[in-house]
Amino acid sequence: MRNDYGMELDPAALARLNDRQLGDLVTQIASAVGADPRKTAMLLGNMDHLRESLQDLTPEQAKLLLDRAGEEKSREIYELIRRKGR
């Protein structure tokens, strides 16, 4: 999936993240898009459910979520996913 800034998001890269890496990534994304920290903490309390939720995201939904962070944060998030998902 390619976003408006020309960056590719490999969904398989997310699946390769361990729980700590995924939690860190979700925390960064949530912060970048202005999510409620309490809701983020609750989400991170059940990593199995979080992984299931991410698997259910369509590429378009994932793109919209990440793009809400703005270009700079979006680039940082895409790069983090790329590096950690190797």
Side-chain angles (χ1 to χ4, degrees):
M1 163 187 41
R2 182 176 291 277
N3 78 350
D4 294 337
Y5 313 120
M7 294 172 283
E8 293 284 341
L9 175 64
D10 176 12
L14 290 174
R16 291 189 293 268
L17 298 177
N18 64 39
D19 284 355
R20 184 189 56 75
Q21 291 171 322
L22 182 59
D24 290 347
L25 177 63
V26 168
T27 299
Q28 289 179 332
I29 293 170
S31 175
V33 300
D36 182 336
R38 293 174 301 201
K39 289 183 181 180
T40 302
M42 286 183 358
L43 181 65
L44 295 176
N46 186 344
M47 294 305 286
D48 290 336
H49 178 62
L50 174 60
R51 285 185 185 280
E52 289 174 17
S53 296
L54 290 173
Q55 289 174 350
D56 291 341
L57 277 179
T58 67
E60 294 78 20
Q61 290 170 323
K63 177 187 172 304
L64 286 172
L65 176 64
L66 291 177
D67 286 350
R68 284 179 48 198
E71 182 174 359
E72 182 179 341
K73 285 289 184 185
S74 180
R75 287 182 186 280
E76 290 174 23
I77 292 165
Y78 273 84
E79 180 60 23
L80 183 65
I81 293 169
R82 187 188 66 74
R83 281 194 325 262
K84 289 189 176 184
R86 289 182 192 182

